[in-house]
Structure formats: C-alpha cells, structure tokens
Amino acid sequence: LQQIFASGSVKPDDLEPRVVLELMEFGENGACTILDRYGSKNLSAVRNKTAFLIGVVRRYREEIKNGGPVGGGGGGGMGG
C-alpha cells in the first residue's frame, strides 16, 4: 500500500479505512496480491479509488471461492 501511495497515483485520503480493514481478511499474501493488481492499473482516470479497490477485492474473493487463478494479476476490465 505504501508503494501505491509513493507512486502518487493514490493518496491516503483517496481510500476509506474500511477497505483497508477488508484487505486484512486475506492475510499478507492475499492483500499483497490484491494490491499488486490494484497498483498495476492506470488509476489516474478512476474517480472513486475506494470503489475500484473494492471491485478488485470482490473479484479476488470470487476467485478464491471458485478455485480460479489467485496468484497473478491481469485480466478483467473496470466493470464488475
């Protein structure tokens, strides 16, 4: 998360605390995977960065539930 803030594409005030708490549900490895995916996107055009991150979290949660690819990034658009 600090790397994403350091990149300047997201400021700490852009994210609601509840989404950070939600990340903790996935442990360190899961949270890192989610944040890698989030940070790999072009966030400059995203108005609601919290909602976008929640979408990434939901897709990750679905992958876990369905036994899909969890480890890497890629795939998917902005919808969801």
Side-chain angles (χ1 to χ4, degrees):
L1 193 55
Q2 293 299 324
Q3 290 175 339
I4 293 172
F5 293 153
S7 74
S9 59
V10 178
K11 297 177 290 209
D13 292 345
D14 290 336
L15 297 177
E16 295 177 23
R18 67 184 175 102
V19 76
V20 176
L21 292 173
E22 197 169 342
L23 282 172
M24 289 197 264
E25 293 176 22
F26 299 99
E28 185 177 350
N29 288 337
C32 286
T33 298
I34 292 167
L35 291 172
D36 284 345
R37 293 178 185 185
Y38 182 71
S40 71
K41 305 297 181 194
N42 179 2
L43 300 171
S44 63
V46 175
R47 290 184 188 177
N48 188 335
K49 292 178 173 64
T50 293
F52 190 86
L53 180 53
I54 289 171
V56 175
V57 168
R58 285 184 182 156
R59 285 187 291 279
Y60 184 79
R61 186 176 283 130
E62 284 297 313
E63 287 179 14
I64 291 172
K65 188 166 74 171
N66 297 326
V70 171
M78 290 180 65

